[in-house]
């Protein structure tokens, strides 16, 4: 994430409980985000919606976080107004249910500008190259081809991403949540070899809107690990399941049913999805 622009500080203490939008109320990061005093320190200027850089403090602990108020969301033609924050929390819930921990701790809470999403700030670490543009038509060892991209003056280069287990897990998560905007800038390599995905506001649509830079495994068989995880998601999303109970407050019943069907389809085919052709396969701009 880039350095935020400084703006005058505003503070609020949340009235939300630690279990609001939380898959694991005992998680110290979730409790801190949900219960702590939220102080706005700056704004991330390049974001299309209002994204505020904050600190949150609670019982002697403090951390940096991102706060995206619902009031700062721009209307979208294909998503109901005022629902992006809930979708971000829903993506975190699904990530936690996989056991992969691919989305930073995220809650829905009150803030200085009203209700919004609050997510732990992740400091990205350099040195882990995940995307590249290469000459020729072959991705090369350790890379997966995505497609050709214009690089100026009428020339093209092959866009590739790393053949990385963390990215492959994220590709499965994106297929489940129907992520319509997996850009390169939404990939955050972090400490201890962790990889996080951020910006999940345009997810869980009933229509197939998967749009991503992680098409390198399209059509390939899912890993045994992914199949086990998807089987667990299927059970957790069933009527009365723990995950279904958390998602019902965040997305619509039709969207929940569509999520169940996406999991079922992945298990039925046993393969990573391929572009449908009904929707642009790669987000723009790609980063």
């Amino acid at each position: 994430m880039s350095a935020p622009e400084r703006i005058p500080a505003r503070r609020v203490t949340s009235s939300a409980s630690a279990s609001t939008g939380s898959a694991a109320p005992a998680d110290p990061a979730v409790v801190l985000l949900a219960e702590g005093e939220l102080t706005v320190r700056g704004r991330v200027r390049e974001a299309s919606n209002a994204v505020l850089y904050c600190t949150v403090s609670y019982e002697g602990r403090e951390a940096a976080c991102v706060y995206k108020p619902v009031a700062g969301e721009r209307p979208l033609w294909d998503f109901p107004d005022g629902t992006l924050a809930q979708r971000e929390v829903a993506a975190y819930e699904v990530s936690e249910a996989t056991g992969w921990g691919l989305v930073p701790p995220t809650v829905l809470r009150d803030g200085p500008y009203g209700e919004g999403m609050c997510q732990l700030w992740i400091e990205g670490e350099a040195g882990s190259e995940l995307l590249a543009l290469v000459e020729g038509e072959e991705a090369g060892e350790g890379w997966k081809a995505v497609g050709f991209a214009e690089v100026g003056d009428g020339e093209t280069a092959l866009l590739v991403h790393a053949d990385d287990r963390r990215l492959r897990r994220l590709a499965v998560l994106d297929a489940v949540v129907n992520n319509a905007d997996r850009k390169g800038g939404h990939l955050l390599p972090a400490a201890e070899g962790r990889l996080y995905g951020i910006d999940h506001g345009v997810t869980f649509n009933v229509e197939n809107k998967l749009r991503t830079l992680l098409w390198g495994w399209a059509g390939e068989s899912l890993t045994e690990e992914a199949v086990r995880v998807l089987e667990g998601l299927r059970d957790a999303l069933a009527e009365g399941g723990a995950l279904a109970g958390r998602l019902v407050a965040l997305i619509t019943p039709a969207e929940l049913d569509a999520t169940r069907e996406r999991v079922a389809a992945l298990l039925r085919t046993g393969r990573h999805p391929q572009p449908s052709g009904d929707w642009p396969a790669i987000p723009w701009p790609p980063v």
Side-chain angles (χ1 to χ4, degrees):
M1 292 184 180
S2 60
E5 176 194 20
R6 296 292 176 179
I7 61 176
R10 294 185 64 172
R11 297 180 174 85
V12 72
T13 299
S14 175
S15 60
S17 69
S19 61
T20 300
S22 165
D27 183 340
V30 169
V31 174
L32 175 62
L33 291 170
E35 298 288 354
E37 181 181 23
L38 192 62
T39 304
V40 177
R41 304 294 186 184
R43 180 173 181 176
V44 180
R45 296 288 296 179
E46 64 269 23
S48 57
N49 297 302
V51 179
L52 303 177
Y53 175 76
C54 303
T55 54
V56 62
S57 57
Y58 182 68
E59 295 185 344
R61 298 179 64 238
E62 183 173 281
C65 62
V66 170
Y67 162 53
K68 298 182 182 180
V70 172
E73 296 177 5
R74 294 183 180 180
L76 299 172
W77 67 269
D78 52 348
F79 284 84
D81 292 350
T83 65
L84 304 190
Q86 291 95 320
R87 295 171 193 277
E88 295 244 28
V89 179
Y92 166 69
E93 295 287 357
V94 176
S95 169
E96 287 299 284
T98 66
W100 288 334
L102 294 169
V103 178
T106 312
V107 303
L108 194 66
R109 59 161 291 166
D110 292 330
Y113 299 98
E115 185 180 63
M117 178 277 277
C118 189
Q119 184 177 83
L120 194 68
W121 178 273
I122 300 298
E123 287 290 347
E125 289 201 345
S128 179
E129 190 175 15
L130 300 174
L131 298 166
L133 288 167
V134 299
E135 296 180 355
E137 299 183 357
E138 299 294 332
E141 185 176 357
W143 296 90
K144 305 290 286 187
V146 178
F148 289 95
E150 293 187 8
V151 293
D153 297 327
E155 297 184 359
T156 62
L158 184 63
L159 176 64
V160 299
H161 64 67
D163 188 3
D164 185 300
R165 183 179 72 166
R166 301 168 302 169
L167 286 182
R168 193 165 190 173
R169 288 174 170 178
L170 194 59
V172 174
L173 177 67
D174 283 344
V176 171
V177 304
N178 197 15
N179 192 349
D181 196 31
R182 175 61 72 205
K183 297 177 180 177
H186 300 168
L187 305 173
L188 294 180
E192 300 178 352
R194 295 291 301 271
L195 176 70
Y196 291 98
I198 60 170
D199 287 346
H200 296 99
V202 286
T203 50
F204 295 99
N205 202 297
V206 171
E207 298 180 8
N208 181 6
K209 291 184 178 291
L210 184 59
R211 186 167 58 176
T212 175
L213 291 179
L214 304 181
W215 286 116
W217 297 283
E220 292 188 15
S221 296
L222 295 166
T223 65
E224 292 182 3
E225 177 197 44
V227 171
R228 289 195 302 271
V229 165
L230 289 166
E231 289 172 342
L233 286 181
R234 177 189 58 197
D235 296 342
L237 286 167
E239 292 287 346
L243 180 58
R246 292 191 290 272
L247 293 184
V248 72
L250 299 167
I251 59 177
T252 69
E255 290 166 344
L256 179 54
D257 285 341
T259 304
R260 293 176 176 130
E261 175 52 34
R262 287 191 295 272
V263 171
L266 287 166
L267 287 170
R268 188 166 56 247
T269 64
R271 295 182 179 277
H272 287 268
Q274 301 188 68
S276 67
D278 299 327
W279 178 254
I282 296 176
W284 187 262
V287 296

Coordinates of all heavy atoms in Angstrom, one line a residue, residues 252-282:
T252 N -26.9 -11.1 0.3 CA -28.3 -11.5 0.1 C -28.5 -13.0 0.1 O -27.5 -13.7 -0.2 CB -28.9 -10.9 -1.2 OG1 -28.3 -11.5 -2.3 CG2 -28.6 -9.4 -1.2
P253 N -29.7 -13.5 0.3 CA -29.9 -14.9 0.2 C -29.6 -15.5 -1.2 O -29.0 -16.6 -1.3 CB -31.4 -15.1 0.5 CG -31.7 -13.9 1.4 CD -30.9 -12.8 0.9
A254 N -29.9 -14.7 -2.2 CA -29.5 -15.2 -3.6 C -28.0 -15.2 -3.8 O -27.5 -16.1 -4.5 CB -30.2 -14.2 -4.6
E255 N -27.3 -14.3 -3.2 CA -25.8 -14.3 -3.3 C -25.2 -15.5 -2.5 O -24.2 -16.1 -3.0 CB -25.3 -13.0 -2.9 CG -25.6 -11.8 -3.8 CD -25.3 -10.4 -3.3 OE1 -25.2 -10.3 -2.0 OE2 -25.2 -9.5 -4.1
L256 N -25.8 -15.8 -1.4 CA -25.4 -16.9 -0.6 C -25.6 -18.2 -1.4 O -24.7 -19.1 -1.4 CB -26.1 -17.0 0.7 CG -25.7 -18.1 1.7 CD1 -24.2 -18.2 1.9 CD2 -26.5 -17.9 3.0
D257 N -26.8 -18.3 -2.0 CA -27.1 -19.5 -2.8 C -26.1 -19.6 -4.0 O -25.6 -20.7 -4.3 CB -28.5 -19.5 -3.4 CG -29.5 -19.8 -2.3 OD1 -29.1 -20.4 -1.3 OD2 -30.7 -19.5 -2.5
A258 N -25.8 -18.5 -4.6 CA -24.8 -18.5 -5.7 C -23.4 -18.9 -5.3 O -22.7 -19.6 -6.0 CB -24.8 -17.1 -6.4
T259 N -23.0 -18.5 -4.1 CA -21.7 -18.9 -3.5 C -21.7 -20.4 -3.3 O -20.7 -21.1 -3.6 CB -21.5 -18.2 -2.2 OG1 -21.5 -16.8 -2.4 CG2 -20.1 -18.6 -1.6
R260 N -22.8 -21.0 -2.8 CA -22.9 -22.4 -2.6 C -22.7 -23.1 -4.0 O -22.1 -24.2 -4.1 CB -24.2 -22.8 -2.0 CG -24.4 -22.4 -0.6 CD -25.8 -22.7 -0.1 NE -26.0 -22.4 1.3 CZ -27.0 -21.7 1.8 NH1 -28.0 -21.2 1.0 NH2 -27.1 -21.4 3.1
E261 N -23.4 -22.6 -5.0 CA -23.3 -23.2 -6.3 C -21.9 -23.1 -6.9 O -21.5 -24.1 -7.6 CB -24.3 -22.5 -7.3 CG -24.3 -23.0 -8.7 CD -24.4 -24.6 -8.8 OE1 -25.1 -25.2 -8.0 OE2 -23.7 -25.1 -9.7
R262 N -21.2 -22.0 -6.7 CA -19.8 -21.9 -7.2 C -19.0 -23.0 -6.5 O -18.1 -23.6 -7.2 CB -19.3 -20.5 -7.0 CG -19.9 -19.5 -7.9 CD -19.1 -18.2 -7.8 NE -19.2 -17.5 -6.5 CZ -20.2 -16.7 -6.1 NH1 -21.1 -16.4 -7.0 NH2 -20.2 -16.2 -4.9
V263 N -19.1 -23.2 -5.2 CA -18.3 -24.2 -4.6 C -18.7 -25.6 -5.1 O -17.8 -26.4 -5.4 CB -18.6 -24.2 -3.0 CG1 -18.0 -25.4 -2.3 CG2 -18.0 -22.9 -2.4
A264 N -20.0 -25.9 -5.3 CA -20.4 -27.1 -5.9 C -19.9 -27.4 -7.3 O -19.5 -28.5 -7.6 CB -22.0 -27.2 -5.9
A265 N -19.9 -26.3 -8.1 CA -19.4 -26.4 -9.4 C -17.9 -26.7 -9.5 O -17.4 -27.5 -10.3 CB -19.6 -25.1 -10.2
L266 N -17.1 -26.1 -8.6 CA -15.7 -26.4 -8.5 C -15.4 -27.8 -8.1 O -14.6 -28.5 -8.7 CB -15.0 -25.4 -7.5 CG -14.9 -24.0 -7.9 CD1 -14.5 -23.1 -6.7 CD2 -13.8 -23.9 -9.0
L267 N -16.2 -28.3 -7.2 CA -16.1 -29.7 -6.7 C -16.5 -30.7 -7.8 O -16.0 -31.8 -8.0 CB -16.9 -30.0 -5.5 CG -16.2 -29.4 -4.2 CD1 -17.2 -29.5 -3.0 CD2 -14.9 -30.1 -3.8
R268 N -17.6 -30.3 -8.6 CA -18.1 -31.1 -9.6 C -17.1 -31.3 -10.8 O -16.9 -32.4 -11.3 CB -19.4 -30.5 -10.1 CG -20.2 -31.4 -11.1 CD -21.6 -30.9 -11.2 NE -21.7 -29.5 -11.7 CZ -22.2 -28.5 -10.9 NH1 -22.6 -28.8 -9.7 NH2 -22.2 -27.3 -11.4
T269 N -16.5 -30.2 -11.2 CA -15.6 -30.2 -12.3 C -14.2 -30.7 -11.9 O -13.4 -31.2 -12.6 CB -15.4 -28.9 -13.0 OG1 -14.9 -27.9 -12.1 CG2 -16.8 -28.4 -13.4
G270 N -13.8 -30.3 -10.6 CA -12.5 -30.6 -10.1 C -11.4 -29.8 -10.8 O -10.2 -30.2 -10.7
R271 N -11.8 -28.7 -11.4 CA -10.8 -27.9 -12.1 C -11.0 -26.4 -11.8 O -12.0 -25.9 -11.4 CB -11.0 -28.1 -13.6 CG -10.7 -29.5 -14.1 CD -10.8 -29.6 -15.6 NE -10.5 -31.0 -16.0 CZ -9.2 -31.4 -16.2 NH1 -8.2 -30.6 -16.0 NH2 -9.0 -32.7 -16.5
H272 N -9.9 -25.6 -12.0 CA -9.9 -24.2 -11.9 C -10.8 -23.7 -13.0 O -10.8 -24.2 -14.1 CB -8.5 -23.6 -12.0 CG -7.7 -23.8 -10.9 ND1 -7.6 -22.8 -9.8 CD2 -6.8 -24.8 -10.5 CE1 -6.7 -23.3 -8.9 NE2 -6.2 -24.4 -9.3
P273 N -11.7 -22.6 -12.7 CA -12.5 -22.1 -13.8 C -11.8 -21.5 -14.9 O -10.6 -21.1 -14.7 CB -13.4 -21.1 -13.0 CG -12.6 -20.7 -11.9 CD -11.8 -21.9 -11.5
Q274 N -12.4 -21.4 -16.1 CA -11.9 -20.6 -17.2 C -12.7 -19.4 -17.5 O -13.9 -19.3 -17.1 CB -11.9 -21.5 -18.4 CG -11.0 -22.8 -18.2 CD -10.9 -23.6 -19.5 OE1 -10.2 -23.1 -20.5 NE2 -11.4 -24.8 -19.6
P275 N -12.2 -18.4 -18.2 CA -13.0 -17.2 -18.5 C -14.2 -17.6 -19.2 O -14.2 -18.5 -20.1 CB -12.0 -16.4 -19.4 CG -10.6 -16.8 -19.0 CD -10.8 -18.3 -18.7
S276 N -15.3 -17.0 -18.8 CA -16.6 -17.3 -19.4 C -16.8 -16.7 -20.8 O -17.6 -17.3 -21.6 CB -17.7 -16.8 -18.5 OG -17.8 -15.4 -18.5
G277 N -16.2 -15.6 -21.1 CA -16.4 -15.0 -22.4 C -17.5 -13.9 -22.3 O -17.7 -13.2 -23.2
D278 N -18.3 -14.0 -21.2 CA -19.4 -13.0 -21.0 C -19.0 -11.8 -20.3 O -19.8 -10.9 -20.1 CB -20.5 -13.7 -20.3 CG -21.1 -14.9 -21.0 OD1 -21.1 -14.9 -22.3 OD2 -21.5 -15.9 -20.4
W279 N -17.8 -11.7 -19.8 CA -17.3 -10.6 -18.9 C -15.8 -10.5 -19.2 O -15.1 -11.5 -19.4 CB -17.6 -11.0 -17.5 CG -17.2 -10.1 -16.4 CD1 -16.1 -10.3 -15.6 CD2 -17.8 -8.9 -16.0 NE1 -16.0 -9.2 -14.7 CE2 -17.0 -8.3 -15.0 CE3 -18.9 -8.2 -16.5 CZ2 -17.4 -7.1 -14.4 CZ3 -19.2 -7.0 -15.9 CH2 -18.4 -6.4 -14.8
P280 N -15.3 -9.2 -19.2 CA -13.8 -9.1 -19.4 C -13.0 -9.9 -18.4 O -13.3 -9.9 -17.2 CB -13.6 -7.6 -19.2 CG -14.9 -7.0 -19.5 CD -15.9 -7.9 -19.0
A281 N -12.1 -10.7 -18.9 CA -11.4 -11.7 -18.0 C -10.4 -11.0 -17.2 O -10.1 -11.5 -16.1 CB -10.8 -12.8 -18.9
I282 N -9.8 -9.9 -17.6 CA -8.7 -9.3 -16.9 C -9.1 -7.9 -16.5 O -9.7 -7.2 -17.3 CB -7.4 -9.3 -17.8 CG1 -6.9 -10.7 -18.1 CG2 -6.3 -8.5 -17.1 CD1 -5.8 -10.8 -19.1

